Amino acid sequence: MFQYDYPHPAVTVDVVIFTIRDRQLKLLLVKRAGEPYRGKWALPGGFVHLEESLDAGASRELEEETGVSGVFLEQLYTFGKPGRDPRERVITVAYYALVPSDKLQIRAATDAEAVGWFGMDELPELAFDHAEIVAMAHQRLVAKLDYSTIAYQFMPELFTLSELQEVYEIILRQEMDKRNFRKWVLALEQIEETEEERRGGIHRPARLYRVKHPGKVAIIK
């Protein structure tokens, strides 16, 4: 076997998985079953296989932990501070994924004791440097609302304009004017009206819309 003159660090991928549940922005965490940080909550992730790319590794971890594939997944940042993993020199490439809540089938992987959803205001102490990774992913998500259609990745196949507005309000943590929001979002021409309606209570039926290009995030500025 060829011997290198310099030691090689291990490479992992960690995935910040966001969804909207119970009118909150939440992320998926797993409780570690082994050392280091046994019993601590952490981001889903793992070591990259020698035969796979970084993107493939992140997609694999996402599917293993949530049971879904084909959703928005974007590389976030590379974290490589020495000592971030007590086992060895480990560099992790972090990703974040946006998953509609109706597609989730979460399950604990073999190296996880439990899995659960946590709101951004109720995060437990996290293993490794995962708190730093989560903070950066959240900042990226909020920033991209202003210049892209990233919020649409949270939507089911059919939705109302009020439901789309609620996603923006949840992430931004502020209310938006209903008339201005509808005018703005329709002018982007990224969603299309369907013939279907949703009836609820005493209110008039609400028209249902769909995203024109599911899985694609468009730049709007």
Side-chain angles (χ1 to χ4, degrees):
M1 180 179 296
F2 184 82
Q3 297 294 318
Y4 290 95
D5 293 333
Y6 301 98
H8 285 63
V11 179
T12 61
V13 288
D14 289 302
V15 187
V16 184
I17 304 173
F18 287 118
T19 196
I20 302 290
R21 293 168 59 91
D22 304 321
R23 298 179 181 271
Q24 295 184 66
L25 177 65
K26 294 192 173 185
L27 60 90
L28 183 70
L29 298 176
V30 296
K31 181 176 286 189
R32 293 182 57 80
E35 298 293 348
Y37 301 107
R38 181 192 300 271
K40 290 285 188 180
W41 291 96
L43 294 171
F47 289 91
V48 178
H49 296 170
L50 291 178
E51 73 281 0
E52 67 183 354
S53 67
L54 292 171
D55 288 357
S59 296
R60 173 179 53 78
E61 290 292 339
L62 174 63
E63 186 168 4
E64 288 177 356
E65 301 291 353
T66 68
V68 299
S69 59
V71 297
F72 178 81
L73 182 67
E74 181 175 273
Q75 191 172 127
L76 174 67
Y77 193 76
T78 300
F79 295 81
K81 183 185 300 182
R84 60 174 302 276
D85 190 318
R87 292 170 294 187
E88 59 179 319
R89 181 78 166 94
V90 176
I91 294 173
T92 192
V93 180
Y95 287 75
Y96 69 107
L98 309 184
V99 182
S101 61
D102 64 327
K103 291 187 177 181
L104 294 170
Q105 301 174 4
I106 62 172
R107 56 178 178 263
T110 55
D111 59 349
E113 178 182 323
V115 60
W117 291 98
F118 293 83
M120 293 300 296
D121 294 327
E122 54 185 24
L123 296 180
E125 182 180 353
L126 300 182
F128 306 101
D129 54 357
H130 289 183
E132 181 182 354
I133 297 175
V134 169
M136 182 175 291
H138 185 231
Q139 291 171 3
R140 175 77 62 84
L141 174 60
V142 172
K144 291 196 75 165
L145 284 184
D146 186 53
Y147 63 88
S148 78
T149 59
I150 194 170
Y152 299 177
Q153 303 307 311
F154 287 115
M155 307 310 297
E157 181 180 357
L158 298 177
F159 54 88
T160 67
L161 292 181
S162 293
E163 290 168 344
L164 179 58
Q165 180 176 336
E166 184 178 57
V167 168
Y168 277 83
E169 292 177 337
I170 288 172
I171 299 173
L172 294 173
R173 299 186 179 185
Q174 65 182 41
E175 293 185 1
M176 306 178 73
D177 179 80
K178 183 176 181 178
R179 176 177 292 182
N180 289 339
F181 176 82
R182 291 178 178 234
K183 181 179 179 181
W184 171 73
V185 77
L186 291 176
L188 297 177
E189 299 184 344
Q190 295 294 322
I191 61 175
E192 59 187 6
E193 186 176 327
T194 71
E195 296 299 321
E196 299 185 52
E197 294 179 333
R198 179 174 297 153
R199 297 180 180 273
I202 61 174
H203 301 289
R204 59 184 296 184
R207 181 69 64 184
L208 294 178
Y209 292 77
R210 67 165 62 94
V211 178
K212 288 185 177 181
H213 308 289
K216 180 181 178 181
V217 175
I219 303 301
I220 57 178
K221 284 189 176 180

